[in-house]
Amino acid sequence: MLPDFRSDVLRSSSHDAGGVFRTTLDRRILNQRLIGGILAATLLAALFYQNNPFEQLALTAMAVLMGALLAALTFTRLPLLTVQVTGLLGGWAYLLAKTAYVLFALPGDAGLPMLMGLAPWGAVLLAAHLWILGARRSALLNAAALGSMGALLLIKLVLTPAAAHSSVTGTLLQMLLASAVLLFGQRHAAQRLRADVRRAVLGQDTAGLDALTGLPDRVTLERQLEGLFQQDPEQLVVAAIGVDTPGGQPADATFQPRLAAHVSRVLMGTVRDQDLLGCLGDGVAALVMRAPDARSARAACERLRVRVASRPLDGVNPTVTIGVVYADGHLDALALLRAAEDTLSAARRSGTNRVLLGPVITGAAHEEAELLPPQALPA
């Protein structure tokens, strides 16, 4: 998860109220919807091209293929990559067959309308290679697809040199050039995105980010917290998360900073995208989220504590102590953050690896603070 500096990222929701773990759409379900949409588009195209013998045959074959892939995704555990590659190959087979039909079966420029309708789908298939296979594995299929289309055009020019001045040839050549530009730009965008992600995660040369954890620093977090509070103070939760020092840690002096960075990565990969993580320094992180009530907020932090403990580093199970404060209308934004830090300090005085619901009460009444006992760590 990359730090999101917008002031409106947190949203209250009855669906994920009290939760803290990120939710993602199942990839098989996503591909079922995608293939279902392609199947619907293929059937509509078949109705439109009822008088075209080539389209009737090709689109029928495509509809059968898409239907088979949809059934495989729904009723079997066929690997998702196999389904995706099969769909890509089927799509390119249709495009190349249609290109050959326009070049060799139709006279003159009669196939120009069909070719113009084909152009957007060629760009979609080129882009889909990178979406599905990644930059490295898609290179072979991209080269094979564009090379096959170029070979068809070259064969046409060799057999019919006069076709070099036709609109069909010019359009197909423009499609090939545009595809090459698209591939170059797409790969450049992917490389730039990876560099941006690396800088954001590592905090390298990025203003407002902590250099060790890659999280927003205290100043940035306070500014965003104030904006969120002004926008809607209801159901706002601030948790201060302190990384505990393990008793049997290695003698290496760099272990504790590495442990803090490790815990930050676990937190970034766990919390929801709409929640806000920040770094307060000295191995303490802050989490800003929304929850329906204080009990739900405490339970969410307890689940987060157990998740961190289940991700070891160098054979050491890290633990965190969390002080959590629920907005009750009596504290402003920065007071909520200070109350969370005070609650964390109070929890650490009583031990580690626990969650304390604040705000704590100073003096003799401090003993009345509600403290959760440590739970057994997952195996």
Side-chain angles (χ1 to χ4, degrees):
M1 185 197 73
L2 299 181
D4 195 334
F5 295 146
R6 294 173 296 172
S7 61
D8 60 345
V9 290
L10 273 78
R11 290 282 188 269
S12 56
S13 170
S14 59
H15 174 71
D16 57 12
V20 69
F21 292 93
R22 65 168 61 242
T23 55
T24 55
L25 182 64
D26 183 81
R27 293 183 62 200
R28 295 188 74 88
I29 296 177
L30 183 62
N31 278 269
Q32 284 176 3
R33 296 175 181 177
L34 177 62
I35 293 178
I38 296 175
L39 177 59
T42 303
L43 294 175
L44 287 175
L47 292 176
F48 183 77
Y49 290 110
Q50 289 183 356
N51 298 324
N52 189 315
F54 169 81
E55 291 287 16
Q56 282 295 299
L57 178 62
L59 290 174
T60 300
M62 277 293 295
V64 171
L65 175 62
M66 292 298 111
L69 293 179
L70 183 59
L73 281 176
T74 305
F75 302 110
T76 72
R77 300 306 299 174
L78 187 68
L80 185 57
L81 183 60
T82 301
V83 174
Q84 292 171 331
V85 172
T86 303
L88 278 176
L89 294 176
W92 274 115
Y94 169 74
L95 260 69
L96 292 174
K98 190 169 182 177
T99 301
Y101 177 76
V102 169
L103 287 176
F104 302 106
L106 298 180
D109 292 335
L112 184 60
M114 293 181 63
L115 197 60
M116 295 294 292
L118 194 66
W121 293 105
V124 169
L125 281 177
L126 286 175
H129 284 186
L130 187 59
W131 303 339
I132 295 173
L133 302 177
R136 293 182 179 178
R137 288 189 293 182
S138 67
L140 181 60
L141 273 180
N142 279 331
L146 290 183
S148 299
M149 189 171 292
L152 289 175
L153 179 59
L154 183 61
I155 293 173
K156 174 65 176 180
L157 294 177
V158 170
L159 297 178
T160 313
H165 304 288
S166 68
S167 298
V168 168
T169 301
T171 301
L172 188 57
L173 183 60
Q174 289 296 319
M175 288 174 56
L176 290 172
L177 293 176
S179 298
V181 173
L182 174 65
L183 286 177
F184 177 79
Q186 192 176 31
R187 292 183 182 279
H188 177 71
Q191 293 173 357
R192 182 173 180 178
L193 179 60
R194 284 196 296 268
D196 290 343
V197 169
R198 187 179 298 111
R199 284 194 297 269
V201 171
L202 299 179
Q204 295 176 340
D205 304 323
T206 307
L209 295 184
D210 177 70
L212 177 64
T213 63
L215 297 175
D217 57 22
R218 176 183 283 271
V219 175
T220 304
L221 179 69
E222 290 179 349
R223 184 175 67 250
Q224 296 303 313
L225 178 57
E226 287 180 321
L228 292 168
F229 188 87
Q230 293 174 3
Q231 176 188 348
D232 183 11
E234 298 297 327
Q235 299 183 337
L236 198 61
V237 178
V238 180
I241 307 171
V243 180
D244 301 327
T245 302
Q249 77 173 75
D252 185 1
T254 65
F255 180 75
Q256 192 64 24
R258 290 196 299 115
L259 183 63
H262 169 74
V263 170
S264 297
R265 288 192 297 270
V266 174
L267 294 175
M268 285 191 290
T270 301
V271 301
R272 300 168 301 183
D273 291 336
Q274 63 264 35
D275 298 333
L276 179 64
L277 272 173
C279 180
L280 303 178
D282 297 328
V284 178
L287 171 64
V288 182
M289 63 179 179
R290 294 193 186 276
D293 50 50
R295 184 174 295 275
S296 298
R298 186 182 64 179
C301 290
E302 182 65 23
R303 293 195 298 270
L304 188 62
R305 179 191 67 82
V306 175
R307 171 62 66 89
V308 170
S310 67
R311 300 294 187 270
L313 174 67
D314 295 346
V316 176
N317 287 87
T319 61
V320 292
T321 302
I322 304 177
V324 56
V325 177
Y326 185 82
D328 57 2
H330 296 90
L331 298 174
D332 60 22
L334 296 184
L336 277 172
L337 182 58
R338 288 193 296 269
E341 292 181 279
D342 292 341
T343 304
L344 172 61
S345 299
R348 281 175 159 174
R349 286 195 295 268
S350 301
T352 58
N353 190 26
R354 59 188 66 212
V355 176
L356 175 61
L357 178 63
V360 295
I361 305 172
T362 58
H366 168 67
E367 303 298 332
E368 299 178 2
E370 187 176 1
L371 188 63
L372 288 181
Q375 297 182 357
L377 299 181

